């Protein structure tokens, strides 16, 4: 059965700390892995990863994929209170529900950044 | 502003009633999706549509139906609502199968 597991489920840090969020997966015919940030409403897209070892970076956020060990990490440096959110990891298998492009989501990591 | 619009924002519904959640996008995205999000279970795919005129079943399709008459609209219908369908429903769209999905703000639905 295809699955995506995120850890930790929740995390509390102080402003300025660096955090690493983990996502491991078991899927048939991996296609891509995506990270989203969810605050109060819609998940917003952060990164899409398809190749091992290539870091994607946006400001203080970065992510990398390891297709051999079947995991990805999301790093946030110099955290700010605005980083508080649930971070979602999703994987797109080559054929899920009879279609390419569909996503399987992990349960998310709830990050709380204290002032 | 381009994006995905969902309506209503929230709704309380009596069990057994019929309900249609609306989703409209103006980005000319080919693919559209419906998810439900429940505490402890995360986001789960209900139905999807790769292009206008086609639909498919996701992980949890029972009790729901969809249609895709045109590119922009992808309504989700609960024919006879049950309390277990209480959830937050998100509509999403993507330009294609290999493109990231973008989400609407969700509909919070409570079935009593």
């Amino acid at each position: 059965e295809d699955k995506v597991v995120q850890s930790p489920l929740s995390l509390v840090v102080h402003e300025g700390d660096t955090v690493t969020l983990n996502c491991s997966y078991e899927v048939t015919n991996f296609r891509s892995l995506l990270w989203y940030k969810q605050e109060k409403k819609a998940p917003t897209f952060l990164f899409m990863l398809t190749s091992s070892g290539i870091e994607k970076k946006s400001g203080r956020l970065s992510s990398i994929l390891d297709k051999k060990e079947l995991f990805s990490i999301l790093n946030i440096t110099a955290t700010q209170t605005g980083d508080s959110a649930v971070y979602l990891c999703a994987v797109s298998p080559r054929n899920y529900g009879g279609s390419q492009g569909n996503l399987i989501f992990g349960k998310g990591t709830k990050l709380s950044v204290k002032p | 502003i381009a994006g995905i619009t969902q309506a209503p924002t929230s709704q309380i519904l009596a069990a057994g009633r019929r309900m249609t959640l609306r989703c409209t996008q103006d980005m000319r995205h080919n693919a559209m999706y419906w998810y439900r999000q429940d505490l402890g279970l995360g986001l789960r795919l209900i139905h999807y549509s790769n292009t206008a005129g086609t639909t498919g079943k996701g992980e949890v399709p029972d009790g729901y139906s969809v249609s895709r008459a045109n590119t922009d609209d992808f309504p989700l219908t609960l024919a006879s609502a049950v309390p277990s369908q209480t959830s937050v429903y998100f509509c999403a769209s993507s330009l294609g199968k290999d493109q990231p999905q973008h989400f609407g703000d969700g509909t919070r639905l409570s079935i009593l």
Side-chain angles (χ1 to χ4, degrees), chain B residues 4-8 19-24 34 74-76 91 107:
Chain B
I4 300 176
T5 302
Q6 291 187 237
M19 175 74 189
T20 295
L21 307 186
R22 300 185 298 278
C23 175
T24 299
W34 275 105
F74 191 42
L76 176 74
C91 180
T107 292

Side-chain angles (χ1 to χ4, degrees), chain A residues 44-115:
Chain A
T44 53
F45 170 72
L46 295 175
F47 298 112
M48 183 174 184
L49 303 155
T50 56
S51 301
S52 274
I54 299 174
E55 185 183 54
K56 294 256 179 137
K57 195 170 171 68
S58 176
R60 296 176 294 102
L61 278 66
S62 64
S63 183
I64 197 161
L65 174 67
D66 186 328
K67 290 167 72 173
K68 183 180 176 184
E69 300 298 329
L70 308 184
F71 77 92
S72 173
I73 59 172
L74 176 69
N75 279 323
I76 308 175
T77 60
T79 52
Q80 302 170 358
T81 55
D83 295 325
S84 295
V86 175
Y87 290 84
L88 301 170
C89 174
V91 172
S92 177
R94 196 159 292 279
N95 189 350
Y96 173 54
S99 174
Q100 301 170 5
N102 292 342
L103 296 177
I104 301 171
F105 279 85
K107 293 184 171 65
T109 293
K110 182 177 181 180
L111 175 65
S112 299
V113 182
K114 303 296 186 186

Side-chain angles (χ1 to χ4, degrees), chain B residues 48-59:
Chain B
Y48 66 90
S49 169
N50 287 331
T51 189
T54 68
T55 63
K57 294 181 180 180
E59 181 184 355

Side-chain angles (χ1 to χ4, degrees), chain A residues 31 36 38 42 97 99 101 107, chain B residues 37 40 48 50 59 98 101 104:
Chain A
R31 193 177 177 87
Y36 287 84
Q38 186 175 24
S99 174
K107 293 184 171 65
Chain B
Q37 187 174 38
Y48 66 90
N50 287 331
E59 181 184 355
D98 292 323
Q101 294 180 22

